[in-house]
């Protein structure tokens, strides 16, 4: 018997249980996945943990017909897949950088492919939200082009980008001098920043962004 839902909680109890349970399950199985797939251990445990939370949160928030790009084993666990089913696909699904069709990587970047897919989906009248997990990524020309297209066409695409901000003269800037919040002024794409080590903040920001995306306010 589960206790009644805490009405004052910032995040539903079931979501927190799901998130932390998935993190624990993934931490148990991750070494075995790396061993079977030949993947090296992550260079930064802190970065890997934050990306893990973002991936699981996206999977928890996504609906049945939504699409997750570049989601790996953690998202599959969050969606209810068993260890046995997960291991059946090793090494291909885990070693591959994303789940794009053959040849797509030669013609498009991941963000461009997601924007194109979202545009086609919108033309078909499908009510899907697209989650693009880019990890640590610079605001290069390709990504800016994709963001501008999403803004102009009001596409329901959510880009998860990890930036390492530092305080400099009272202002936030990452190590390359790019503040991701500047893309709103430059490209018209709303940006929500959060501490991706904080699962509560990450969940609330994700659900807010999904709400805006589903109601035609475009990607962010």
């Amino acid at each position: 018997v589960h206790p009644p839902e805490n009405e004052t909680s910032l995040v539903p109890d079931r979501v927190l249980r799901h998130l932390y349970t998935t993190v624990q399950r993934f931490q148990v199985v991750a070494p075995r996945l790396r061993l079977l797939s030949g993947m090296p251990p992550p260079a930064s445990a802190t970065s890997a943990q934050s990306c893990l939370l973002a991936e699981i949160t996206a999977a928890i928030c996504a609906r049945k017909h939504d699409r997750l790009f570049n989601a790996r084993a953690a998202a599959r666990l969050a969606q209810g897949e068993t260890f046995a089913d997960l291991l059946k696909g090793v090494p291909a699904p885990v070693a591959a950088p994303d789940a794009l069709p053959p040849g797509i990587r030669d013609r498009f970047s991941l963000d461009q492919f997601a924007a194109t897919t979202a545009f086609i989906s919108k033309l078909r009248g499908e009510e899907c939200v697209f989650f693009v997990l880019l990890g640590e990524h610079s605001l290069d020309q390709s990504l800016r082009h994709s963001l501008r297209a999403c803004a102009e066409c009001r596409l329901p695409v959510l880009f998860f980008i990890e930036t390492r901000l530092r305080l400099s003269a009272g202002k936030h800037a990452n190590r390359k001098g790019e503040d991701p919040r500047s893309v709103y002024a430059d490209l018209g794409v709303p940006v929500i920043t959060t501490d991706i080590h904080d699962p509560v903040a990450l969940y609330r920001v994700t659900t807010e962004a999904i709400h805006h995306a589903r109601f035609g306010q475009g990607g962010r």
Side-chain angles (χ1 to χ4, degrees):
V1 177
H2 294 291
E5 193 75 32
N6 183 356
E7 296 180 357
T8 62
S9 176
L10 295 176
V11 176
D13 294 344
R14 59 177 177 78
V15 172
L16 284 177
R17 284 195 297 268
H18 192 171
L19 195 154
Y20 284 119
T21 299
T22 304
V23 169
Q24 291 174 341
R25 292 175 66 201
F26 183 78
Q27 288 173 337
V28 169
V29 77
R32 186 175 180 186
L33 292 174
R34 286 196 294 269
L35 179 64
L36 293 175
S37 65
M39 294 174 62
S44 169
T46 302
S47 177
Q49 181 73 3
S50 61
C51 292
L52 173 63
L53 288 174
E55 181 177 334
I56 296 173
T57 303
I60 290 174
C61 293
R63 292 182 182 176
K64 181 179 180 180
H65 300 295
D66 294 338
R67 296 279 303 278
L68 274 71
F69 291 96
N70 212 28
R72 301 178 183 83
R76 292 165 61 185
L77 288 176
Q79 292 171 323
E81 194 163 348
T82 65
F83 283 165
D85 290 336
L86 191 65
L87 293 174
K88 285 178 184 177
V90 176
V94 180
D98 49 63
L100 301 183
I104 286 293
R105 296 184 200 89
D106 298 332
R107 301 193 301 272
F108 296 99
S109 64
L110 180 61
D111 50 275
Q112 290 173 335
F113 177 68
T116 302
T117 306
F119 181 74
I120 295 172
S121 176
K122 186 174 182 179
L123 289 179
R124 292 174 176 171
E126 299 170 347
E127 296 183 357
C128 305
V129 172
F130 296 81
F131 299 79
V132 186
L133 302 165
L134 293 177
E136 194 168 354
H137 196 290
S138 64
L139 294 170
D140 56 21
Q141 191 62 33
S142 171
L143 179 55
R144 287 180 176 273
H145 178 75
S146 300
L147 291 173
R148 186 182 300 279
C150 288
E152 292 176 349
C153 299
R154 305 182 77 81
L155 301 178
V157 185
L158 272 61
F159 295 93
F160 289 76
I161 302 174
E162 180 185 1
T163 58
R164 299 184 182 184
L165 299 179
R166 59 179 174 78
L167 286 174
S168 177
K171 297 181 179 180
H172 287 290
N174 68 14
R175 60 186 176 184
K176 295 184 179 180
E178 299 173 329
D179 188 336
R181 293 170 297 184
S182 67
V183 301
Y184 179 72
D186 297 341
L187 307 173
V189 178
V191 175
I192 307 178
T193 59
T194 187
D195 180 357
I196 57 175
H197 300 94
D198 184 342
V200 173
L202 188 58
Y203 175 80
R204 287 176 60 81
V205 163
T206 301
T207 52
E208 179 182 345
I210 291 173
H211 174 78
H212 288 289
R214 288 198 194 280
F215 288 92
Q217 298 184 32
R220 58 186 56 212

